[in-house]
């Protein structure tokens, strides 16, 4: 079934435990989503944050919504203000909220009410090492992840860092949902290959929606 025909229910469950894969779920909104990200980045620019250990992350980040995920020498946390401007993060566009709630429902999580989105920008070579999303208050809410632009390999591990991750190819418009027993599973992104996408240029964008506060 082609993604253009919309989300196919049969594609929901992969062999990857705990992960709902919604191929092309956001494909019809791709251009609007990329436009919205560019507008958000005017107000809260992408920046490469430093890990608590002092290393610059290879993906550039910004946020929208009630809080933003930040990392610096003091650690990882959610902050209500953008440390670059001292201002609140830009509001989450309605388009984002509705997409995330709809994807969560399709992935088995009704009533997901995300209060923020972390927006990652990967240029070729950028990656996200295996990690768990642990800084949110409410682990009963799932994570909804939307891929835009250049393709990438998503790494899907388990509860232990030692679990060998499976590799899942992600294209622009694909959406992932994980929660419940898989909420704290390790995940990451392999280094993004060089390329050019008609909407994003030489970059992959990823929106991750969370219930953070
Ligand atoms: C993340 O885990 O925050 C990002 C995952 C991705 O870029 O797909
Ligand atoms: Fe993550």
């Amino acid at each position: 079934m082609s993604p253009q025909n919309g989300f196919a229910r049969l594609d929901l469950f992969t062999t990857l435990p705990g992960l709902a894969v919604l191929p092309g779920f956001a494909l019809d909104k791709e251009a609007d989503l990329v436009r919205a990200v560019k507008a958000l980045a005017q107000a809260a620019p992408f920046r490469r944050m430093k890990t608590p250990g002092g290393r610059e992350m290879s993906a550039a980040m910004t946020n929208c919504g009630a809080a933003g995920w930040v990392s610096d020498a003091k650690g990882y946390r959610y902050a209500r203000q953008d440390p670059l401007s001292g201002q609140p993060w830009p509001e989450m566009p309605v388009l984002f909220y509705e997409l995330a709630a709809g994807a969560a429902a399709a992935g088995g999580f009704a009533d997901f009410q995300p209060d923020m989105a972390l927006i990652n920008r990967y240029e070729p070579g950028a990656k996200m090492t295996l990690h768990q999303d642990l800084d949110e208050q409410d682990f009963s809410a799932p994570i909804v992840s939307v891929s835009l632009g250049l393709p990438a390999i998503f790494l899907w591990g388990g509860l232990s860092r030692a679990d060998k991750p499976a590799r899942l190819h992600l294209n622009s418009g694909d959406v992932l949902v994980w929660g419940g027993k898989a909420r704290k599973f390790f995940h990451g992104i392999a280094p993004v290959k060089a390329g050019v996408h008609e909407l994003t240029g030489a970059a992959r964008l990823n929106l991750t929606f969370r219930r953070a506060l």
Side-chain angles (χ1 to χ4, degrees):
M1 225 166 292
S2 88
Q4 276 82 1
N5 292 339
F7 166 60
R9 188 93 206 161
L10 283 177
D11 290 338
L12 221 177
F13 300 106
T14 60
T15 51
L16 304 184
L19 186 68
V21 181
L22 312 181
F25 189 88
L27 211 47
D28 60 342
K29 301 180 187 77
E30 227 187 357
D32 290 338
L33 291 165
V34 171
R35 212 174 295 124
V37 169
K38 287 179 183 167
L40 289 169
Q42 302 269 319
F46 282 104
R47 77 290 308 261
R48 287 174 65 190
M49 298 183 194
K50 285 201 171 141
T51 64
R55 255 191 264 169
E56 196 169 77
M57 299 176 76
S58 62
M61 297 177 178
T62 187
N63 294 278
C64 65
W69 186 85
V70 296
S71 175
D72 59 20
K74 287 187 275 177
Y76 307 130
R77 67 195 172 279
Y78 283 95
R80 289 179 187 267
Q81 275 91 30
D82 178 349
L84 282 186
S85 66
Q87 295 298 117
W89 298 95
E91 263 182 53
M92 186 186 322
V94 174
L95 170 71
F96 282 23
Y97 186 92
E98 287 177 350
L99 170 65
F109 295 88
D111 304 319
F112 177 45
Q113 295 177 350
D115 56 8
M116 61 81 61
L118 166 65
I119 308 170
N120 296 140
R121 184 175 197 277
Y122 302 79
E123 290 180 3
K127 65 183 168 66
M128 182 81 65
T129 49
L130 277 183
H131 66 279
Q132 298 166 290
D133 291 355
L134 295 179
D135 303 314
E136 299 72 30
Q137 300 281 335
D138 179 4
F139 295 122
S140 70
I143 301 282
V144 172
S145 164
V146 178
S147 290
L148 297 165
L150 289 182
I153 304 285
F154 183 74
L155 308 170
W156 182 242
L159 273 179
S160 157
R161 187 181 289 281
D163 293 335
K164 189 176 188 293
R167 296 166 68 86
L168 178 74
H169 193 94
L170 289 178
N171 287 312
S172 189
D174 290 349
V175 179
L176 304 177
V177 180
W178 66 92
K181 283 187 185 140
R183 177 60 181 72
K184 297 182 184 175
F185 274 23
F186 278 88
H187 58 278
I189 291 288
V192 169
K193 290 218 174 85
V196 177
H197 186 276
E198 55 176 359
L199 293 174
T200 60
R204 169 177 185 265
L205 297 174
N206 172 257
L207 315 176
T208 44
F209 294 93
R210 295 105 185 264
R211 182 92 199 160
L213 299 180

